[in-house]
Amino acid sequence: MHRSRALTILVVGNLVASVLHFGDNIVHFHEYPEPSWIPSPHIVDALWFAITPLLLLAWWLASQGRRWPAIALFWSYGALSMFVLGHYNFASPAELSFRINFLIWLEALAALLLIVLVPRYVESGYGAH
């Protein structure tokens, strides 16, 4: 598979996973275990809008051939996405529905794949040809 296509799949997969998880968290806010500093779905919404631009900026930097700045932002986005596992600091998986556990793990897995694979798929000069 061409590297730019693989990178696109990683980015879109992370975007879809975050939309599904954050969207469900907003719609079903009271079913999710949250820290006290997240008192409403509006904070969840704001967090998504704060984190997601990192993913999109990294993708753009990659398309401009800016390998290390892109990788650094992809890793930052991936690390922030892994905080989704923080839900388990407030409730065990057994206390949560299958849907919530699935969406948490979907986002965490997408972020892990991004962190691990992105150095392989971000090329110097990608998109600049």
Side-chain angles (χ1 to χ4, degrees), residues 27-108:
V27 171
H28 302 284
F29 180 77
H30 296 294
E31 295 178 37
Y32 278 81
E34 303 286 3
S36 59
W37 60 269
I38 301 181
S40 76
H42 302 296
I43 302 298
V44 175
D45 186 31
L47 288 171
W48 188 85
F49 280 105
I51 295 168
T52 303
L54 295 175
L55 178 66
L56 302 177
L57 179 57
W59 196 14
W60 179 79
L61 287 169
S63 76
Q64 300 302 304
R66 307 275 318 271
R67 179 177 169 75
W68 289 110
I71 289 172
L73 281 178
F74 278 129
W75 282 347
S76 297
Y77 174 85
L80 290 168
S81 288
M82 293 298 284
F83 278 108
V84 69
L85 296 172
H87 286 297
Y88 296 130
N89 287 329
F90 304 97
S92 74
E95 297 174 72
L96 302 175
S97 70
F98 172 81
R99 181 192 81 248
I100 291 173
N101 279 300
F102 176 79
L103 293 173
I104 288 171
W105 284 104
L106 179 67
E107 185 169 6

Side-chain angles (χ1 to χ4, degrees), residues 10-20 48 52 55-56 59 77 110:
L10 277 173
V11 169
V12 171
N14 271 269
L15 189 58
V16 168
S18 75
V19 165
L20 291 173
W48 188 85
T52 303
L55 178 66
L56 302 177
W59 196 14
Y77 174 85

